[in-house]
Amino acid sequence: MSNFPFDPQSELSEDVLSRFYIDGQWVQGGSSASFSLVSPSTEVAFATARLADTGDVDRAVNAARKAFDTGPWPRMSGTERAACLRRMSEALGLRIPLLSRIWTAEVGAPVGFADMFAPTATAMLDYYAGLASTFAFEEVRSTRNGQARIIRQPVGVAALIAPWNAQLPILSYKLGAALAAGCTVVVKTPPETPFDALVVAECAHEAGLPPGVLNVIAADAAHGAYLVAKREVDKVSFTGSTATGKLIAKTCADRLARVTLELGGKSAAIVLDDAELDPTLAALAQVTMPFSGQICFAQTRILVPRSRERAFIEAYSAVIGGLEVGDPWSINTQIGPLANRRQLDRVMGYIEAGYTEGARVVTGGDRSRRFETGFFVEPTVFAGVTPHMTIAREEIFGPVVSIIAYDDIDQAIEIANDTDFGLSGTVFTSDVERGSAIARRIRTGNVSVNGLEIAPNAPFGGFKQSGIGREGGPEGLGAFLEHQAIYLPVPVTRATTE
Ligand code: NAD
């Protein structure tokens, strides 16, 4: 595959291409370390990312610390911060088409997918701007001796770390909430997706965000670990694998730094006996392997009543086998390449495990042979999967779905919950209230009935090893706040409550 219509030199500014954003300035990093960005479809390198060294991490953290301790941002009112967030969102809105193209270039997200989800960034900034302007950052309560003023203070300097798969939307959840709360932040992007957050920094600069409030560096895992361990960092908001999340939690535990973890998933779609087949299949085609399954909330286990198993396997595998696999730059493409060779090897390893452990491939099951280059895997459906197989238990992060049969609804719920993860889930039924009752029994942070929705004003996050804490909604703002109670020996009057 040779199509690669993205020219970093002409589409990105020199700052975004080769600098970091620290203390309100575009600066050269101190290290000569770099990372070669390879197109997932052509396998040709198209840009080089500069990577931060420990000196760059120190500078970014010091800038954020100074801006928090002595700068205006944490001391502004919610309304003032909201005005700045709105200006940032406007600047970002103008760059959404560019950010969508960056997403496709960096990790091969099909353009239709990237165009649909890149606007999440402005939606999240707008949502948190709205919340910041109405949120009760202070409240007064009567006490025995007078009153307590409850102050919801920003938690301090926050390190925001996101994975390569959906850098922009994930960052916008974290950034919207952190900035609305009054925190100052250091964003560490992964080497694979260095540009998105730097474009966001351009928007913040244009919007007049005070120096040091937002600092952006690209860095590898070792420098991520160095950032997390710094005592000047009060809070870590991390999205990524469960394995890395546990390492970060241990580091944070040493100094009891606040931590929010958004981790992996192995979510179940439960198809009930009364679900209508066609709308269920149409929805499952969207949610079982979005972005080639490289999305944390992908519904990778489909649970079907044994009485409907055979018909369902036939119909679902026909839908998945009919998905348009190909060039991520084509608007018709539904399944593009995996993001990199490491992902390809990982996914092929799981497919191999599926065969070895006795599952049956009903469509796909191999690398795609349709293209000369690119990290393509055919969308793959396994049937005859039992809940103990590796492919039913571990997060594959690729276009691989397992169909598991159940005998009654109690068993379906038991299978859905028989996992270390608890991120997302779906229930398909012609009776929405029945779906809601079943949803309550699923031990995950999010469950949707007859589709999958994620809304800015609702909390997103995981039970069990899918994470700790929530992003989105007022809950996401709360993750960047500390509560302080100030007791005063004076009674509450109308004036103090107004
Ligand atoms: P990863 O854990 O390897 O890396 C994520 C980020 O952490 C990267 O920026 C990486 O450079 C950094 N990092 C790695 N080791 C670190 C360390 N010791 N200390 C600090 N930072 C470190 O994950 P990945 O492979 O890039 O991403 C895929 C994973 O992310 C999947 O498990 C997926 O489910 C998960 N994910 C979760 C959500 C969610 O909201 N729950 C969303 C998207 C992706």
Side-chain angles (χ1 to χ4, degrees):
M1 187 163 289
S2 60
N3 185 37
F4 190 74
F6 183 80
D7 176 16
Q9 302 297 332
S10 65
E11 297 192 49
L12 303 175
S13 69
E14 193 51 39
D15 289 332
V16 168
L17 269 176
S18 59
R19 300 194 175 94
F20 300 137
Y21 186 70
I22 297 177
D23 209 8
Q25 317 249 337
W26 291 96
V27 298
Q28 296 288 349
S31 152
S32 57
S34 64
F35 181 85
S36 182
L37 276 81
V38 171
S39 156
S41 49
T42 65
E43 298 184 42
V44 173
F46 66 94
T48 303
R50 294 291 302 272
L51 297 185
D53 63 10
T54 53
D56 299 322
V57 177
D58 291 344
R59 274 185 285 282
V61 170
N62 291 343
R65 189 74 258 169
K66 186 176 67 162
F68 188 81
D69 291 341
T70 61
W73 190 253
R75 283 156 272 280
M76 283 180 183
S77 68
T79 317
E80 288 168 317
R81 288 197 293 267
C84 191
L85 278 173
R86 287 201 180 90
R87 292 196 298 276
M88 246 177 102
S89 170
E90 273 167 33
L92 202 56
L94 299 175
R95 290 168 172 86
I96 287 296
L98 170 66
L99 285 158
S100 176
R101 287 172 60 68
I102 291 174
W103 200 353
T104 304
E106 287 177 335
V107 289
V111 284
F113 176 87
D115 285 349
M116 191 182 300
F117 291 104
T120 306
T122 47
M124 288 317 297
L125 292 191
D126 291 343
Y127 170 72
Y128 277 113
L131 190 60
S133 56
T134 55
F135 189 76
F137 286 99
E138 292 196 27
E139 182 192 324
V140 180
R141 296 178 195 164
S142 279
T143 61
R144 187 160 40 93
N145 292 333
Q147 60 175 272
R149 292 189 183 157
I150 315 301
I151 318 292
R152 300 187 173 99
Q153 301 224 10
V155 69
V157 172
L160 311 184
I161 303 179
W164 48 263
N165 69 325
Q167 179 70 199
L168 178 68
I170 293 172
L171 180 62
S172 65
Y173 267 73
K174 297 182 188 304
L175 202 55
L179 295 181
C183 290
T184 62
V185 306
V186 175
V187 174
K188 185 212 85 67
T189 74
E192 297 89 343
T193 52
F195 300 135
D196 324 53
L198 290 164
V199 172
V200 173
E202 285 188 320
C203 300
H205 195 81
E206 259 176 54
L209 197 70
V213 175
L214 167 66
N215 306 277
V216 180
I217 53 175
D220 61 14
H223 289 86
Y226 177 77
L227 168 64
V228 166
K230 286 195 71 79
R231 56 180 285 280
E232 296 86 353
V233 172
D234 302 296
K235 158 93 192 183
V236 178
S237 177
F238 171 78
T239 300
S241 63
T242 296
T244 306
K246 288 179 185 175
L247 290 176
I248 288 176
K250 282 180 191 154
T251 305
C252 289
D254 259 358
R255 62 183 194 286
L256 291 182
R258 278 48 179 153
V259 63
T260 299
L261 302 172
E262 293 283 348
L263 309 175
K266 191 73 193 175
S267 302
I270 305 181
V271 179
L272 298 189
D273 48 7
D274 64 354
E276 270 186 63
L277 190 60
D278 287 346
T280 300
L281 289 172
L284 288 174
Q286 306 281 330
V287 302
T288 47
M289 41 183 85
F291 183 15
S292 299
Q294 299 171 118
I295 289 290
C296 56
F297 55 75
Q299 311 290 302
T300 52
R301 296 180 294 154
I302 305 182
L303 279 44
V304 291
R306 202 171 297 282
S307 59
R308 297 183 69 179
E309 184 185 11
R310 186 185 292 224
F312 182 86
I313 289 171
E314 199 173 304
Y316 176 70
S317 58
V319 167
I320 295 302
L323 292 177
E324 185 80 23
V325 180
D327 185 354
W329 294 99
S330 161
I331 194 68
N332 298 322
T333 293
Q334 292 166 295
I335 300 278
L338 291 169
N340 52 48
R341 187 166 293 283
R342 191 180 35 145
Q343 269 294 101
L344 176 68
D345 293 344
R346 173 192 169 94
V347 172
M348 288 310 298
Y350 278 110
I351 290 177
E352 200 53 51
Y355 283 117
T356 311
E357 293 178 20
R360 178 166 50 90
V361 162
V362 287
T363 188
D366 204 350
R367 282 194 71 164
S368 177
R369 308 286 171 206
R370 311 182 208 191
F371 315 104
E372 279 174 16
T373 63
F375 308 123
F376 291 92
V377 168
E378 289 291 336
T380 296
V381 179
F382 279 104
V385 178
T386 63
H388 305 292
M389 289 181 183
T390 307
I391 55 169
R393 304 204 72 77
E394 296 186 13
E395 183 184 51
I396 298 174
F397 228 49
V400 182
V401 167
S402 295
I403 299 179
I404 303 172
Y406 67 82
D407 293 314
D408 57 42
I409 193 59
D410 288 339
Q411 190 191 25
I413 290 164
E414 193 183 312
I415 295 169
N417 288 337
D418 181 16
T419 165
D420 291 336
F421 298 107
L423 190 60
S424 175
T426 45
V427 181
F428 292 89
T429 173
S430 52
D431 179 347
V432 169
E433 285 308 323
R434 183 180 174 216
S436 170
I438 289 168
R440 284 165 192 261
R441 298 173 63 192
I442 303 174
R443 302 284 299 156
T444 73
N446 295 258
V447 190
S448 300
V449 174
N450 292 343
L452 193 150
E453 186 173 8
I454 296 174
N457 61 354
F460 181 84
F463 286 20
K464 300 190 271 183
Q465 295 192 31
S466 286
I468 295 177
R470 292 293 179 271
E471 296 189 326
E475 294 80 4
L477 180 66
F480 289 96
L481 294 171
E482 290 278 16
H483 287 76
Q484 183 182 45
I486 300 178
Y487 290 90
L488 301 175
V490 286
V492 177
T493 62
R494 262 179 73 88
T496 44
T497 52
E498 273 168 6

